[in-house]
Amino acid sequence: MKRVLYTLILSASIATMCFAGNPDRQGEAGAGELLLNPWARSAGLHSMGTSFASGVEALRLNPAGIGRLSGREIYMGNTRLYEGSTLQHNSIGYAQRGKGNGAFGFSLAILDFGEIPVTTVEQPGGNGAFFSPSFVNLGVGYSYTYENKISVGILGRAISETLPSLSAFGLAIDAGVQYVSGDRDNFKLGISLRNIGTPLRFSGEGLSREVVVNPDQDPRKFDARAEGFDLPSVLNIGFSYDFYLSEDIYIRGLANFTSNAFSRDQVGGGVELYYGDLITLRGGYKYEIGSTTAGTENIYSGVSAGGTLNVPLKKGSTNKLGIDYAYRTTNPFRGTHNFGIRLSF
């Protein structure tokens, strides 16, 4: 186990040096919806639960944690992005522990832009029509746990972005590992590499133009080529430790480092207070390394907070209904609100 742990730490150190954040490339990546977290439980910690994410939320943070649940889980989430922008992020996911050491899950996330007025050169104020882009991604993941100490996982994700006359499609892979140790699995370490995949490129009738080459001839149709764009690759390294105050009450302290391929790196920490399996309160803070000018930092640099309430479906039952909420400060806008409902059985 020690050799495996040392190998994980060494691999993370090498990966960090090779994957260092590059602010000079900021804005060059696309498919930014892959960086959005639709799950309220982990959003309350600024998505820094790399070391202990489990079940459905692990499909977004670290696929190694898919199997860190005892049975099955269904999770539905709604996110009101950047309050005041009318953007919403809706999602649903399912995870299940197999009979052996394997587990699988899938999630579907849809970014809702609302109705956008159609404008033209002749009618810049709108022509009375509306359209709504369709940004959808579907992830399917699998994890395997070795003697309840080490979990490894991999996830494949299909990404679709569609406009009325343009579309782009791509594939991405997430991979991760989690390690737990201690008398009560107090110590947890996690590493995940996300959004590694094919570049996306828009194509369709929206890139076609009719040009008059000769006044005596009909207009000719020309197709423009759109430039491709990379996915926002991210490397996360995190650890946590549980401090037990009593048999059912404990505090979890955590720290996380995020290396972004197309922006500055981030570091942060957080705390969770568990009152048995009934109530959880959490809060975190994330800081962008190297940001010196106000207004240039990541929109999610700052404070996050949230809570969870788990209610048994009936007395003495292990089947539970979970209600999650999270709030993250944003600059600009008035913050992001996450709501989630989970069914564990």
Side-chain angles (χ1 to χ4, degrees):
M1 288 297 180
K2 289 183 178 179
R3 292 179 180 177
V4 172
L5 181 58
Y6 294 154
T7 301
L8 293 178
I9 296 174
L10 179 60
S11 300
S13 301
I14 295 174
T16 302
M17 290 186 290
C18 298
F19 205 80
N22 188 351
D24 294 334
R25 302 175 66 188
Q26 190 158 339
E28 295 182 10
E33 67 273 15
L34 297 178
L35 298 177
L36 301 177
N37 185 357
W39 313 120
R41 186 165 52 178
S42 53
L45 291 168
H46 265 318
S47 306
M48 294 186 294
T50 309
S51 61
F52 56 87
S54 64
V56 172
E57 65 178 345
L59 293 163
R60 178 64 64 164
L61 302 183
N62 187 346
I66 298 174
R68 294 286 177 182
L69 74 168
S70 58
R72 293 168 288 179
E73 182 180 71
I74 298 175
Y75 204 162
M76 293 179 290
N78 170 261
T79 306
R80 289 165 49 186
L81 289 165
Y82 324 131
E83 187 66 34
S85 70
T86 72
L87 287 172
Q88 295 197 56
H89 197 209
N90 300 307
S91 56
I92 185 170
Y94 174 81
Q96 177 177 330
R97 182 73 181 264
K99 294 182 179 180
N101 295 327
F104 72 93
F106 66 88
S107 65
L108 176 68
I110 302 173
L111 187 58
D112 183 4
F113 292 85
E115 291 189 333
I116 302 174
V118 176
T119 61
T120 64
V121 176
E122 295 78 14
Q123 296 174 300
N127 61 7
F130 295 86
F131 74 97
S132 180
S134 176
F135 281 29
V136 180
N137 66 77
L138 172 66
V140 179
Y142 176 82
S143 73
Y144 188 86
T145 303
Y146 299 89
E147 299 182 359
N148 201 38
K149 291 296 181 181
I150 298 177
S151 299
V152 294
I154 189 169
L155 177 142
R157 196 182 308 278
I159 308 144
S160 173
E161 298 185 352
T162 304
L163 297 168
S165 57
L166 289 174
S167 63
F169 181 82
L171 299 172
I173 293 177
D174 296 359
V177 60
Q178 287 181 340
Y179 171 80
V180 300
S181 181
D183 295 337
R184 304 182 68 171
D185 292 339
N186 305 65
F187 176 78
K188 299 177 178 64
L189 170 69
I191 304 171
S192 68
L193 183 59
R194 299 180 45 226
N195 306 331
I196 304 299
T198 60
L200 273 69
R201 185 190 303 271
F202 278 99
S203 61
E205 288 296 323
L207 296 175
S208 299
R209 293 291 184 271
E210 289 188 347
V211 179
V212 178
V213 178
N214 189 329
D216 298 328
Q217 296 178 352
D218 293 335
R220 298 178 62 181
K221 187 176 182 180
F222 291 86
D223 294 330
R225 290 185 179 180
E227 184 68 25
F229 53 90
D230 294 320
L231 301 180
S233 303
V234 177
L235 172 69
N236 280 291
I237 304 172
F239 69 90
S240 64
Y241 193 88
D242 299 339
F243 301 89
Y244 278 84
L245 306 179
S246 65
E247 185 67 23
D248 297 323
I249 302 175
Y250 64 94
I251 297 175
R252 172 172 293 165
L254 62 102
N256 194 86
F257 171 75
T258 301
S259 182
N260 296 291
F262 291 90
S263 61
R264 294 184 179 90
D265 296 337
Q266 294 174 299
V267 63
V271 175
E272 286 188 308
L273 172 62
Y274 287 81
Y275 184 79
D277 194 33
L278 179 63
I279 299 175
T280 306
L281 300 177
R282 56 182 63 92
Y285 183 85
K286 182 179 283 189
Y287 173 77
E288 190 166 65
I289 302 173
S291 178
T292 58
T293 305
T296 63
E297 66 273 7
N298 187 288
I299 191 172
Y300 282 128
S301 297
V303 177
S304 65
T308 292
L309 175 65
N310 291 315
V311 182
L313 296 182
K314 61 180 181 180
K315 187 176 181 179
S317 173
T318 58
N319 301 337
K320 295 182 179 181
L321 177 68
I323 302 173
D324 304 315
Y325 170 75
Y327 173 79
R328 289 169 285 170
T329 58
T330 59
N331 182 21
F333 302 106
R334 301 193 301 271
T336 290
H337 301 267
N338 283 73
F339 305 89
I341 297 178
R342 289 177 294 106
L343 179 62
S344 303
F345 55 100

